[in-house]
């Protein structure tokens, strides 16, 4: 049986915390930033956690 491959796009987008939760970045922070307020851009900078309903799906893509 061959090894399961990790999804390359997912390993670039997600990271695991020490407790096993999945971290993600916010969307809407890559372009068209001139019309967004400083507050909005600042709040999009911080990382967030993947919702528990989606966590198993992401972990499968990461090969966990």
């Amino acid at each position: 049986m061959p090894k399961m491959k990790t999804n390359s796009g997912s390993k670039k987008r997600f990271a695991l915390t020490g407790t096993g939760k999945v971290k993600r970045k916010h969307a809407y922070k890559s372009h068209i930033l001139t019309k967004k307020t400083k507050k909005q851009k600042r709040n999009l900078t911080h990382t967030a956690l993947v919702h528990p309903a989606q966590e198993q799906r992401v972990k499968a893509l990461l090969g966990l």
Side-chain angles (χ1 to χ4, degrees):
M1 188 82 172
K3 292 183 189 175
M4 292 292 290
K5 286 196 173 182
T6 301
N7 184 284
S8 294
S10 297
K11 71 182 175 188
K12 296 168 192 171
R13 286 175 172 84
F14 300 106
L16 285 179
T17 64
T19 56
K21 294 177 183 172
V22 184
K23 287 193 298 186
R24 65 173 175 86
K25 289 183 177 151
H26 283 282
Y28 308 112
K29 187 70 174 31
S30 58
H31 60 94
I32 315 176
L33 299 173
T34 51
K35 62 176 77 170
K36 294 175 183 133
T37 63
K38 288 180 190 174
K39 181 180 180 180
Q40 189 177 1
K41 289 184 278 192
R42 183 173 63 245
N43 288 335
L44 289 172
T45 299
H46 307 299
T47 57
L49 293 175
V50 171
H51 194 274
Q54 300 296 321
E55 204 167 289
Q56 284 304 113
R57 181 180 292 184
V58 173
K59 284 184 177 180
L61 288 170
L62 294 172
L64 302 172

